Amino acid sequence: MLFFERDIAIDLGTTSTLLYVRGKGVSMREPTVVAVDKVSGKLLKVGEDAEKMLGRTPANIVAIHPIANGVISDYDMTTRMLQELLSRVTSFSFFKPRVIICVPNSITGVEERAIIDATIEAGARKVYLLETAVATSTGAGIDISKPDGHMIIDIGGGTTEIAVVSLGGVVECESIKTAGDEFDEAVVKYIRRKHNVLIGMRTAEELKKSIGCVFPRSEVGSQEVKGRCLLTGLPKTVTITSNDMIEAMEEPVAKLLETIHMVLERTPPELVADISVNGIVMSGGGSLLWGLDKLVTSRTGIEAAVVDDPLACAAYGAGKMLRELNDMQDGMINLARRKQMK
């Protein structure tokens, strides 16, 4: 393995983890799930194999998400998961890799230290943290080194990050827990309330992907959903339409729009003027929800567009930053801060 291939960028998300290897591109996309034997503490499966076990495991096996809201919720499991994923892409290397990890802007000092320690314990030589908003804007091809304002909305599984970037750094940012998982929960609650039928989170996610929308479609879609009737305890099938989905996700979407308005209100007027010209950039799996960009455009009056590969945008951006590793200091990367230090 060549020397430059040992630098790795990781987008460590609540729902999925992506690894970008320098010189190769995105080499791995795996769900952020681990399956563990509770009795022996042995790690059984990581990623896709572990995700298949969610809600289907016997009592002695538990499938868990070690990352919650963009930060570590289970240190030991995160370390072991990273160890397994890093070993898959560095199996032929005798040298430990340098790693950039994407983190939310709202991360605390304690959470920052936990991610650095876990990654070093998993086999990294040096660890650098990069704000997700900076990674996403770089991945979207935006030149953030200029004094020009851009708004980034990154909707992940556990958190949504709404940030304004300019001059290589984050000017204004807000992280909320209204994201993909909360959309799924809203669908579960709606079907329970309206039809007295309980469905699982996996089913809700599949429904969201197939007919889910937050803006009226020209053709109303429908799908049959199987769940457990809360009155009889027996299996029951109900039909859900795309209009039902708009109603189901009304509350989390309202929270999202409210936060976008709040960030715009706190942003300096010159940058708001820039954003009105440059538009709003949307990324993350949640941005694929049908009509979300149209809804943001209609409510803000600013053109919103989803990036080409919303799931991997932050990973590509962090991957581009690997070229600058030799100029960076350990710890948090903030381009504006780094320039001031020089």
Side-chain angles (χ1 to χ4, degrees):
M1 185 171 273
L2 297 174
F3 178 77
F4 60 74
E5 290 181 326
R6 288 194 307 278
D7 292 338
I8 297 169
I10 302 176
D11 181 12
L12 192 62
T14 305
T15 307
S16 60
T17 296
L18 285 83
L19 271 73
Y20 181 107
V21 179
R22 190 174 175 186
K24 286 186 173 181
V26 174
S27 300
M28 192 181 295
R29 301 184 190 207
E30 289 282 355
T32 312
V33 185
V34 293
V36 190
D37 187 324
K38 283 199 292 188
V39 180
S40 64
K42 186 185 174 185
L43 187 71
L44 302 174
K45 299 285 182 184
V46 169
E48 202 173 328
D49 293 336
E51 190 183 42
K52 289 173 186 171
M53 297 182 177
L54 282 171
R56 295 188 171 98
T57 57
N60 65 311
I61 297 172
V62 60
I64 56 170
H65 289 278
I67 304 291
N69 305 321
V71 294
I72 291 175
S73 62
D74 188 321
Y75 181 88
D76 185 42
M77 285 304 128
T78 302
T79 303
R80 288 160 78 177
M81 180 189 76
L82 284 172
Q83 204 165 11
E84 169 67 23
L85 297 179
L86 285 173
S87 70
R88 290 183 194 177
V89 294
T90 59
S91 54
F92 302 110
S93 176
F94 296 106
F95 301 91
K96 289 185 174 183
R98 294 183 298 177
V99 177
I100 286 181
I101 294 198
C102 298
V103 293
N105 189 264
S106 57
I107 193 169
T108 65
V110 174
E111 291 163 344
E112 201 176 302
R113 176 47 55 193
I115 286 181
I116 292 170
D117 289 349
T119 313
I120 286 174
E121 207 174 310
R125 176 161 50 101
K126 276 190 173 182
V127 180
Y128 306 84
L129 303 184
L130 175 64
E131 292 142 319
T132 304
V134 174
T136 302
S137 50
T138 306
I142 297 168
D143 184 0
I144 58 169
S145 62
K146 295 177 181 177
D148 189 23
H150 294 269
M151 178 173 256
I152 310 292
I153 300 174
D154 186 72
I155 307 168
T159 57
T160 292
E161 192 149 295
I162 300 156
V164 175
V165 293
S166 177
L167 272 174
V170 177
V171 178
E172 198 58 67
C173 185
E174 190 69 41
S175 289
I176 54 170
K177 289 173 184 173
T178 302
D181 291 348
E182 194 158 321
F183 291 147
D184 297 342
E185 283 173 23
V187 172
V188 172
K189 286 176 186 173
Y190 176 81
I191 293 173
R192 182 175 185 160
R193 187 173 68 245
K194 189 171 180 180
H195 299 282
N196 276 322
V197 170
L198 184 65
I199 63 168
M201 291 287 279
R202 289 285 297 277
T203 306
E205 188 183 8
E206 285 161 17
L207 195 60
K208 178 184 73 177
K209 286 177 180 176
S210 57
I211 62 163
C213 60
V214 293
F215 202 77
R217 288 180 184 251
S218 53
E219 290 182 15
V220 177
S222 65
Q223 189 173 318
E224 286 191 343
V225 180
K226 292 182 176 70
R228 188 177 79 234
C229 179
L230 293 168
L231 301 175
T232 64
L234 299 171
K236 186 179 177 182
T237 303
V238 293
T239 302
I240 304 297
T241 67
S242 52
N243 288 339
D244 288 331
M245 296 298 280
I246 294 174
E247 195 181 330
M249 290 187 272
E250 196 175 353
E251 195 179 322
V253 167
K255 282 184 201 170
L256 183 65
L257 292 168
E258 191 183 320
T259 310
I260 294 168
H261 281 127
M262 187 170 72
V263 172
L264 284 168
E265 280 172 10
R266 295 199 313 235
T267 303
E270 288 81 4
L271 292 180
V272 173
D274 291 342
I275 293 164
S276 67
V277 174
N278 296 328
I280 295 171
V281 174
M282 297 178 69
S283 77
S287 66
L288 292 168
L289 186 57
W290 196 93
L292 193 53
D293 53 342
K294 293 181 175 69
L295 187 64
V296 170
T297 300
S298 70
R299 295 293 177 88
T300 61
I302 302 168
E303 191 68 34
V306 180
V307 296
D308 290 340
D309 189 349
L311 293 165
C313 189
Y316 282 119
K320 286 180 183 178
M321 300 294 290
L322 290 172
R323 300 176 206 146
E324 300 183 33
L325 271 186
N326 293 329
D327 302 326
M328 291 173 181
Q329 295 185 350
D330 293 3
M332 194 73 173
I333 300 171
N334 181 308
L335 297 182
R337 196 184 304 161
R338 201 182 79 230
K339 282 168 188 165
Q340 288 163 10
M341 286 175 178
K342 286 185 178 178

